[in-house]
Amino acid sequence: MKETIPYKIFLAEDEMPTHYYNVRADMERKPAPLLNPATMQPMTAEELEHVFCRDLVEQELDDTTRYIPIPQEIRDFYRMYRPAPLVRAYELERRLGTPAHIYYKFEGNNTSGSHKLNSAIAQAYYAKKQGLKGVTTETGAGQWGTALSMACGYLGLDCRVYMVKVSYEQKPFRREVMRTYGASVTPSPSTTTEVGRRILAEHPNTTGSLGCAISEAVEDAVSREGYRYVLGSVLNQVLLHQSIIGLETKTAMDRYGIKPDIIIGCAGGGSNLGGLIAPFVGAQLRGEAKYRFIAVEPASCPSLTRGSYVYDFADTGKVCPLAKMYTLGSGFIPSANHAGGLRYHGMSPIVSELYDQGIIEARSVEQTSVFEAAEYFARIEGILPAPESSHAIRVAIDEAIRCRETGEAKNILFGLTGTGYFDLVAYEKFNNGEMTDFIPTDEDIAASLAKLPKQ
Amino acid sequence: MKETIPYKIFLAEDEMPTHYYNVRADMERKPAPLLNPATMQPMTAEELEHVFCRDLVEQELDDTTRYIPIPQEIRDFYRMYRPAPLVRAYELERRLGTPAHIYYKFEGNNTSGSHKLNSAIAQAYYAKKQGLKGVTTETGAGQWGTALSMACGYLGLDCRVYMVKVSYEQKPFRREVMRTYGASVTPSPSTTTEVGRRILAEHPNTTGSLGCAISEAVEDAVSREGYRYVLGSVLNQVLLHQSIIGLETKTAMDRYGIKPDIIIGCAGGGSNLGGLIAPFVGAQLRGEAKYRFIAVEPASCPSLTRGSYVYDFADTGKVCPLAKMYTLGSGFIPSANHAGGLRYHGMSPIVSELYDQGIIEARSVEQTSVFEAAEYFARIEGILPAPESSHAIRVAIDEAIRCRETGEAKNILFGLTGTGYFDLVAYEKFNNGEMTDFIPTDEDIAASLAKLPKQ
């Protein structure tokens, strides 16, 4: 019997979203505002514009406009690598012997290898529109830095990336992709910023950290004429741009009359999860439908499942505003043996607020089981997934197996955020049987949370 | 004004090819048969079946059946990563200021990163159908080995890859992808085969060669119960499978009434070029249309533009049958500084015969100009292309610039065979300004051709 739902659903160009969806407009209790660490008062637009572009500050603060137009230039860029396919995992279902229908939205079909490009082009576009010369940012493993380099290369904008030194040295290929797109990549800590020099003086042998790279990127942006700083996750504006993931998905599912029962996304800073679920959360908040939303995080960095919902610094260097979020404390550093990404100490304020309201569930998974799911998925569905994305695969498989046990033919949707082509050191560790799990103790987390700023 | 041709054309499932197209059926003068090196007589099916699967031998020898059905199992696998998009390069056209319309068929949206998967799944399927336990092959840079690993991982077939030792050591990530898909990867020359031990005894410090890896893979296959050897290019069967590229492309273009004036493909062994042009060549041979076909090869390994059309060994180790092809001599080794792939000494018999009949043109390009085109393309169209594919980009851009000069609005189609995510050592060399060109002298080529077998 011929199935009527194709393996892959691609939207036609005239079905592609023309507006971002701003889930805050439908939330009765809004995410808490960013605070100025000096005054502990909400950051004003004027204060934010020292660091971020004008239009992006407006998007950051706007929690009432439901639909925000996507400028034509951004839509043209999206058309080069979007629509992302919504894939029906027929073969995975068959091998699992599950009555569930499994769908995934695949965001890895672009050179940055992930969904990060959706926000990178938007942020670069607004910087260009404002007449800026360039932008600065930090990158850890390199997905975000690659995405931003691509966007800036396309628009002819200067792109200055501070890359955590250990990644710069161990992931020369990521660095080289960024250089090919015309970005300058500086290992962090560096001697080009004051904060970098200070850190190097104190810790001459440090291999860097994301917090340090953020501090350098911010200093670089505010001290350089015509530059602003951009960030790849956590912020409201980023989740707004990433709503294109959920909007495309919902349009594709609606076309075939499919209603997802469970929607699963991996969650580090929350940009992918927030973008995927946004229009579904909106429909639920408006009373139009009911879904189960599951955020999946690593057991080694469990901000939602074991953190506190309080104000904390967005960065380890404490130069950024405070955000109210589920956090393990801005000083929390996941075990070095954690290979699976999603290492951020906190969670986006929007996702945190939805979780606090009980709209989203959260689950934490251990990395060996994540890589088992990744390898299983790769062999059956062909795509080598990013370790981050594989957190969602793990839970999607678990839920499909549960359906096999209960006999329920649920529709399971998950976000496949990216590919693992630059994560093969981690795969090698797994293939060699050398990967282990690490779960922080209650004492570890309590000690980190004890250092939170006074609320 | 809204363009009616979308950025990307995806075929619907019911438009996807159900049959491979066998261009030999439409050729009046057929490609020459493979010869047994011992007897210099055409290889019989029985002789070939010692090395290759039964169904594949049949496809190899069949030069009269025009359309050969694609088994449902292979079509199911194709649906997981196909249709490959036909992309209209609007932005590239705009930046070049050309009246030409540029289209490319992008084959890189799968984990193997290239078109090689199209034939890998077919060859693995027929091996499985024959009840074999596994297959052996060689790989250089690793695209073919990765593709075959994916196909075997999906079908549960054992996959034994001999990887040129220098690549095994310098491209550990490619090796790791293959291992993740369950393949065993052995650096060649190895001590597991007689030919490997012999070579190691003679040259203890050798870093291997493709020819040596082929010899080991063939020995492994014929000496192991239930195994056969498979090859990723050159053979008629491979070009048959790759006809899916051209069939999808032609269907997509026909849907919008687009007739390509120029069709461009890079050519190493000829599998991508042969597959892309097959249905167009067929239409031309049947008098239905007229096209310009351009094969692009590296100036450092110019088999079509500077080789001879004679019988030669398919492998450096001279264990394989002889094929009549444009060749530089099976002992020809391109300069070590050549980073752009397409290093094979000969050219597929089908492509060679079409070239000899004047149906295909050939052009050779130098690698620095290839990487310039690659980087330009990457920044404008987003995709980081494989060095191999970038040979076609170079000539497509050159032809578009020519159209700008003449004012002709030609339709230019090229094959974008894959992505460069595992070729960043070469990009780094280019980004650092350390890449140079190398063109063999007439004496180099004459010396190599002098060692050809007596015809």
Side-chain angles (χ1 to χ4, degrees), chain A residues 323-393:
Chain A
K324 189 176 177 194
M325 55 184 180
Y326 276 87
T327 179
L328 297 162
S330 59
F332 183 85
I333 295 173
S335 162
N337 88 358
H338 174 65
L342 312 173
R343 303 170 66 91
Y344 189 62
H345 65 274
M347 182 57 64
S348 110
I350 292 176
V351 170
S352 292
E353 179 58 32
L354 292 171
Y355 179 63
D356 196 57
Q357 294 182 25
I359 293 165
I360 299 177
E361 303 167 35
R363 203 175 293 178
S364 76
V365 290
E366 296 178 37
Q367 69 176 353
T368 51
S369 79
V370 166
F371 274 84
E372 272 166 27
E375 188 173 281
Y376 184 76
F377 179 84
R379 292 187 189 182
I380 292 169
E381 290 286 318
I383 299 165
L384 186 76
E388 293 84 348
S389 324
S390 305
H391 287 71
I393 297 175

XYZ file of all heavy atoms in Angstrom, chain A residues 323-393:
538
model
N 20.245 37.623 33.281
C 19.004 37.099 32.723
C 18.377 36.172 33.757
O 19.086 35.443 34.464
C 19.288 36.331 31.436
N 17.042 36.209 33.839
C 16.378 35.245 34.723
C 16.191 33.955 33.949
O 15.526 33.935 32.896
C 15.030 35.776 35.209
C 14.439 34.863 36.295
C 13.158 35.388 36.888
C 12.610 34.377 37.902
N 11.214 34.667 38.254
N 16.791 32.905 34.461
C 16.783 31.650 33.712
C 17.087 30.471 34.629
O 17.601 30.649 35.728
C 17.820 31.713 32.581
C 19.239 32.052 33.032
S 20.361 32.208 31.593
C 21.903 32.606 32.402
N 16.751 29.292 34.141
C 17.222 28.094 34.833
C 18.721 28.027 34.616
O 19.203 28.082 33.483
C 16.521 26.833 34.309
C 15.197 26.643 34.999
C 14.049 27.262 34.504
C 15.101 25.900 36.178
C 12.838 27.137 35.159
C 13.893 25.763 36.839
C 12.767 26.383 36.335
O 11.583 26.265 37.002
N 19.448 27.939 35.713
C 20.905 28.020 35.603
C 21.569 27.133 36.642
O 21.001 26.847 37.697
C 21.381 29.475 35.777
O 22.812 29.523 35.692
C 20.955 30.048 37.127
N 22.773 26.705 36.264
C 23.615 25.961 37.210
C 24.645 26.898 37.834
O 25.528 26.462 38.558
C 24.333 24.823 36.471
C 23.392 23.774 35.864
C 24.107 22.952 34.796
C 22.837 22.863 36.959
N 24.516 28.179 37.531
C 25.500 29.161 37.992
C 26.488 29.448 36.883
O 27.002 28.524 36.243
N 26.778 30.743 36.670
C 27.616 31.099 35.516
C 29.052 30.588 35.666
O 29.815 30.609 34.712
C 27.603 32.615 35.281
O 28.073 33.291 36.440
N 29.392 30.113 36.848
C 30.721 29.533 37.023
C 30.756 28.034 36.770
O 31.818 27.409 36.825
N 29.594 27.449 36.462
C 29.538 25.994 36.276
C 30.217 25.580 34.971
O 29.925 26.129 33.915
C 28.083 25.518 36.256
C 27.939 24.022 36.132
C 27.989 23.206 37.244
C 27.773 23.438 34.881
C 27.862 21.829 37.130
C 27.662 22.063 34.752
C 27.703 21.257 35.877
N 31.122 24.628 35.064
C 31.781 24.110 33.853
C 31.573 22.603 33.789
O 31.952 21.891 34.712
C 33.290 24.454 33.856
C 33.462 25.983 33.777
C 34.003 23.784 32.688
C 34.884 26.454 33.941
N 30.949 22.111 32.715
C 30.706 20.665 32.623
C 32.026 19.896 32.583
O 33.057 20.432 32.155
C 29.953 20.496 31.308
C 29.578 21.853 30.855
C 30.488 22.822 31.519
N 31.970 18.660 32.992
C 33.161 17.801 32.970
C 33.842 17.838 31.606
O 33.183 17.844 30.563
C 32.729 16.361 33.276
O 33.730 15.464 32.874
N 35.166 17.836 31.633
C 35.921 17.879 30.378
C 35.646 16.660 29.515
O 35.827 16.695 28.303
C 37.415 17.993 30.680
N 35.210 15.558 30.133
C 34.968 14.365 29.315
C 33.625 14.412 28.602
O 33.272 13.511 27.863
C 35.161 13.067 30.122
C 33.912 12.593 30.843
O 32.858 13.222 30.801
N 34.044 11.484 31.539
N 32.863 15.487 28.799
C 31.581 15.609 28.097
C 31.812 16.036 26.647
O 32.361 17.098 26.375
C 30.681 16.617 28.801
C 29.417 16.869 28.031
N 28.472 15.893 27.832
C 28.950 17.967 27.381
C 27.483 16.383 27.107
N 27.752 17.637 26.812
N 31.395 15.179 25.713
C 31.700 15.403 24.294
C 30.492 15.865 23.509
O 30.597 16.174 22.340
C 32.237 14.118 23.676
N 29.346 15.920 24.152
C 28.103 16.051 23.398
C 27.551 17.439 23.208
O 26.392 17.601 22.868
N 28.319 18.482 23.405
C 27.798 19.834 23.216
C 26.794 20.211 24.300
O 26.719 19.560 25.343
N 26.034 21.309 24.027
C 25.007 21.769 24.987
C 25.623 22.038 26.351
O 25.081 21.656 27.384
C 23.879 20.724 25.110
C 23.281 20.173 23.811
C 22.313 19.042 24.111
C 22.584 21.252 23.008
N 26.746 22.745 26.339
C 27.506 22.955 27.570
C 27.157 24.253 28.286
O 27.828 24.618 29.251
C 29.010 22.994 27.254
C 29.536 21.754 26.560
C 30.970 21.974 26.068
N 31.870 22.135 27.184
C 32.525 21.160 27.783
N 32.379 19.923 27.344
N 33.317 21.391 28.795
N 26.143 24.958 27.841
C 25.859 26.263 28.433
C 25.289 26.099 29.850
O 24.478 25.220 30.108
C 24.881 27.014 27.527
C 24.688 28.454 27.921
C 25.758 29.342 27.897
C 23.442 28.921 28.327
C 25.581 30.664 28.265
C 23.259 30.237 28.693
C 24.327 31.111 28.671
O 24.156 32.415 29.038
N 25.702 27.005 30.738
C 25.305 26.857 32.148
C 23.843 27.216 32.407
O 23.278 26.825 33.408
C 26.191 27.744 33.046
C 26.011 29.217 32.797
N 26.724 29.886 31.811
C 25.195 30.145 33.368
C 26.357 31.170 31.812
N 25.438 31.346 32.738
N 23.239 27.992 31.504
C 21.868 28.430 31.721
C 20.954 28.027 30.573
O 21.307 27.189 29.746
N 19.772 28.634 30.529
C 18.785 28.304 29.499
C 18.054 29.588 29.114
O 17.820 30.444 29.973
C 17.799 27.277 30.073
C 16.738 26.792 29.126
S 17.377 26.039 27.611
C 18.234 24.606 28.287
N 17.715 29.702 27.859
C 17.066 30.929 27.377
C 15.895 31.313 28.275
O 15.136 30.449 28.726
C 16.590 30.720 25.943
O 15.184 30.669 25.869
N 15.722 32.619 28.550
C 14.616 33.066 29.411
C 13.240 32.605 28.923
O 12.390 32.276 29.749
C 14.746 34.594 29.354
C 16.210 34.837 29.154
C 16.651 33.728 28.236
N 13.035 32.551 27.607
C 11.714 32.110 27.115
C 11.486 30.642 27.467
O 10.456 30.270 28.027
C 11.596 32.320 25.576
C 11.576 33.817 25.247
C 10.357 31.626 25.037
C 11.558 34.129 23.747
N 12.459 29.808 27.152
C 12.319 28.381 27.457
C 12.209 28.185 28.973
O 11.402 27.380 29.461
C 13.504 27.574 26.876
C 13.497 26.140 27.400
C 13.465 27.590 25.353
N 12.999 28.937 29.723
C 12.952 28.809 31.186
C 11.557 29.129 31.714
O 11.013 28.416 32.555
C 13.973 29.766 31.827
O 15.291 29.357 31.532
N 10.964 30.198 31.187
C 9.644 30.608 31.670
C 8.578 29.574 31.282
O 7.706 29.231 32.083
C 9.315 32.000 31.120
C 7.967 32.550 31.521
C 7.761 32.659 33.035
O 8.752 32.896 33.772
O 6.602 32.503 33.484
N 8.666 29.042 30.055
C 7.699 28.022 29.634
C 7.835 26.761 30.488
O 6.848 26.117 30.840
C 7.902 27.675 28.142
C 7.547 28.774 27.134
C 8.005 28.380 25.730
C 6.032 29.056 27.143
N 9.065 26.446 30.836
C 9.308 25.281 31.692
C 8.756 25.533 33.087
O 8.098 24.673 33.688
C 10.809 24.995 31.751
C 11.201 23.829 32.624
C 10.778 22.531 32.327
C 12.028 24.019 33.730
C 11.155 21.462 33.129
C 12.413 22.949 34.524
C 11.975 21.670 34.221
O 12.348 20.610 35.010
N 8.983 26.735 33.582
C 8.503 27.074 34.918
C 6.976 27.048 34.982
O 6.396 26.736 36.018
C 9.027 28.456 35.320
C 8.883 28.699 36.820
O 9.436 27.880 37.586
O 8.212 29.671 37.215
N 6.339 27.358 33.862
C 4.867 27.336 33.816
C 4.324 25.930 33.575
O 3.107 25.743 33.483
C 4.353 28.280 32.721
C 4.629 29.755 32.988
C 4.068 30.666 31.903
O 3.116 30.320 31.210
N 4.665 31.849 31.755
N 5.212 24.963 33.432
C 4.770 23.580 33.243
C 4.337 23.257 31.826
O 3.749 22.213 31.569
N 4.650 24.138 30.883
C 4.252 23.897 29.485
C 5.235 22.935 28.816
O 4.852 22.109 27.993
C 4.167 25.248 28.727
C 2.997 26.056 29.310
C 4.008 25.047 27.229
C 2.990 27.515 28.936
N 6.502 23.028 29.198
C 7.542 22.147 28.667
C 7.966 21.165 29.763
O 8.093 21.554 30.919
C 8.781 22.974 28.263
C 8.440 23.986 27.174
C 9.924 22.074 27.807
C 9.625 24.881 26.800
N 8.207 19.913 29.372
C 8.887 18.965 30.267
C 10.380 19.001 29.959
O 10.783 19.436 28.888
C 8.420 17.524 30.016
C 6.942 17.292 30.156
C 6.559 15.924 29.568
O 7.345 14.963 29.680
O 5.466 15.842 28.984
N 11.178 18.463 30.855
C 12.614 18.358 30.571
C 13.102 16.981 30.985
O 12.563 16.361 31.907
C 13.392 19.434 31.312
N 14.090 16.515 30.265
C 14.669 15.202 30.554
C 16.167 15.301 30.323
O 16.602 15.957 29.372
C 14.052 14.173 29.609
C 14.118 12.749 30.104
C 13.376 11.831 29.168
N 11.928 12.054 29.155
C 11.075 11.378 28.375
N 11.536 10.443 27.559
N 9.785 11.637 28.401
N 16.950 14.651 31.158
C 18.391 14.659 30.920
C 18.844 13.251 30.545
O 18.295 12.268 31.030
C 19.146 15.157 32.155
O 19.178 14.154 33.144
N 19.823 13.175 29.637
C 20.301 11.876 29.156
C 21.830 11.841 29.195
O 22.494 12.873 29.094
C 19.811 11.586 27.716
C 18.316 11.318 27.703
C 20.133 12.734 26.777
N 22.367 10.621 29.331
C 23.822 10.474 29.441
C 24.439 10.273 28.063
O 23.825 9.713 27.164
C 24.140 9.306 30.372
C 23.650 9.613 31.786
C 23.893 8.466 32.752
O 24.944 7.804 32.622
O 23.032 8.232 33.614
N 25.687 10.715 27.924
C 26.237 10.805 26.578
C 26.472 9.461 25.885
O 26.339 9.381 24.670
C 27.488 11.686 26.544
C 28.696 11.139 27.232
C 29.908 12.062 27.036
O 29.863 13.021 26.286
N 30.985 11.764 27.724
N 26.802 8.405 26.636
C 26.995 7.126 25.928
C 25.686 6.670 25.293
O 25.679 6.152 24.168
C 27.533 6.020 26.857
O 26.718 5.962 28.022
C 28.968 6.292 27.274
N 24.569 6.880 25.982
C 23.285 6.480 25.391
C 22.926 7.412 24.229
O 22.233 6.998 23.291
C 22.186 6.450 26.450
O 21.709 7.742 26.725
N 23.398 8.632 24.285
C 23.177 9.580 23.191
C 23.947 9.135 21.941
O 23.409 9.113 20.829
C 23.606 11.001 23.612
C 23.711 11.923 22.408
C 22.628 11.557 24.637
N 25.207 8.730 22.123
C 26.000 8.288 20.964
C 25.501 6.939 20.424
O 25.595 6.687 19.229
C 27.490 8.251 21.313
C 28.149 9.598 21.123
C 28.090 10.557 22.122
C 28.785 9.923 19.937
C 28.668 11.816 21.948
C 29.369 11.177 19.752
C 29.310 12.124 20.757
N 24.995 6.089 21.302
C 24.372 4.846 20.813
C 23.209 5.169 19.877
O 23.071 4.579 18.806
C 23.836 4.021 21.986
C 24.840 3.072 22.591
C 24.360 2.551 23.953
O 23.135 2.496 24.191
O 25.238 2.223 24.780
N 22.364 6.100 20.312
C 21.220 6.510 19.477
C 21.700 7.148 18.179
O 21.142 6.902 17.109
C 20.330 7.483 20.251
N 22.762 7.952 18.277
C 23.295 8.636 17.095
C 23.768 7.627 16.057
O 23.469 7.739 14.862
C 24.450 9.547 17.497
N 24.511 6.628 16.506
C 25.051 5.641 15.571
C 23.938 4.804 14.951
O 23.951 4.515 13.748
C 26.062 4.750 16.296
C 26.801 3.841 15.344
C 27.914 3.084 16.031
O 28.981 3.679 16.255
O 27.699 1.889 16.361
N 22.979 4.421 15.784
C 21.830 3.645 15.303
C 21.082 4.439 14.227
O 20.773 3.934 13.145
C 20.926 3.342 16.498
C 19.733 2.471 16.203
C 19.874 1.095 16.025
C 18.453 3.014 16.122
C 18.772 0.287 15.767
C 17.343 2.220 15.864
C 17.509 0.864 15.684
O 16.419 0.064 15.420
N 20.837 5.687 14.532
C 20.122 6.564 13.601
C 20.914 6.743 12.305
O 20.355 6.673 11.205
C 19.893 7.921 14.275
C 19.178 8.920 13.403
C 17.797 8.927 13.322
C 19.886 9.864 12.676
C 17.129 9.850 12.524
C 19.228 10.790 11.877
C 17.849 10.781 11.798
N 22.215 6.967 12.433
C 23.057 7.203 11.250
C 22.985 6.022 10.286
O 22.876 6.198 9.073
C 24.507 7.458 11.669
N 23.046 4.823 10.834
C 23.065 3.648 9.957
C 21.720 3.423 9.280
O 21.653 2.880 8.181
C 23.465 2.411 10.755
C 24.911 2.481 11.199
C 25.387 1.196 11.842
N 26.707 1.400 12.439
C 27.396 0.448 13.043
N 26.902 -0.775 13.148
N 28.585 0.709 13.548
N 20.635 3.829 9.930
C 19.297 3.568 9.394
C 18.800 4.717 8.529
O 18.242 4.503 7.456
C 18.315 3.315 10.554
C 18.669 1.987 11.226
C 16.875 3.292 10.053
C 17.948 1.760 12.515
N 18.997 5.934 8.981
C 18.444 7.086 8.259
C 19.501 7.807 7.422
O 19.210 8.778 6.735
C 17.791 8.071 9.240
C 16.505 7.535 9.866
C 15.327 7.529 8.878
O 15.175 8.502 8.138
O 14.585 6.530 8.859
N 20.754 7.345 7.526
C 21.788 7.873 6.628
C 22.550 9.063 7.166
O 23.738 9.182 6.928
N 21.883 9.931 7.888
C 22.516 11.179 8.322
C 23.350 10.964 9.580
O 22.876 10.401 10.559
C 21.433 12.244 8.610
C 20.633 12.540 7.344
C 22.054 13.507 9.192
C 19.339 13.281 7.606
N 24.604 11.430 9.554
C 25.441 11.407 10.752
C 25.078 12.638 11.589
O 25.405 13.768 11.209
C 26.923 11.451 10.372
C 27.892 11.280 11.541
C 27.959 9.816 11.971
C 29.288 11.773 11.176
N 24.422 12.436 12.712
C 23.902 13.605 13.445
C 24.960 14.256 14.335
O 25.905 13.609 14.784
C 22.786 13.002 14.302
C 23.198 11.584 14.539
C 24.023 11.161 13.342
N 24.770 15.533 14.596
C 25.601 16.206 15.593
C 25.304 15.598 16.964
O 24.180 15.169 17.225
C 25.292 17.701 15.607
N 26.306 15.554 17.835
C 26.041 15.044 19.185
C 24.901 15.806 19.872
O 24.069 15.191 20.543
C 27.376 15.276 19.897
C 28.404 15.271 18.818
C 27.722 15.857 17.628
N 24.850 17.112 19.658
C 23.765 17.896 20.266
C 22.406 17.341 19.833
O 21.541 17.038 20.657
C 23.856 19.369 19.837
C 25.060 20.124 20.370
C 26.311 19.942 19.528
O 26.333 19.047 18.649
O 27.286 20.688 19.745
N 22.238 17.238 18.517
C 20.964 16.779 17.959
C 20.609 15.384 18.459
O 19.434 15.036 18.574
C 21.054 16.729 16.433
O 21.836 17.767 15.912
N 21.628 14.602 18.730
C 21.399 13.203 19.094
C 20.732 13.065 20.456
O 20.168 12.013 20.764
C 22.728 12.436 19.055
O 23.326 12.608 17.786
N 20.782 14.103 21.254
C 20.019 14.077 22.508
C 18.525 13.944 22.205
O 17.802 13.211 22.885
C 20.272 15.357 23.318
C 21.635 15.402 23.955
N 22.794 15.568 23.235
C 22.018 15.279 25.252
C 23.834 15.562 24.061
N 23.396 15.380 25.292
N 18.074 14.639 21.174
C 16.664 14.556 20.792
C 16.352 13.197 20.171
O 15.281 12.623 20.395
C 16.319 15.682 19.820
N 17.309 12.662 19.389
C 17.112 11.341 18.785
C 16.915 10.302 19.886
O 16.043 9.442 19.812
C 18.325 10.949 17.902
C 18.484 11.917 16.736
C 18.185 9.516 17.406
C 19.742 11.672 15.893
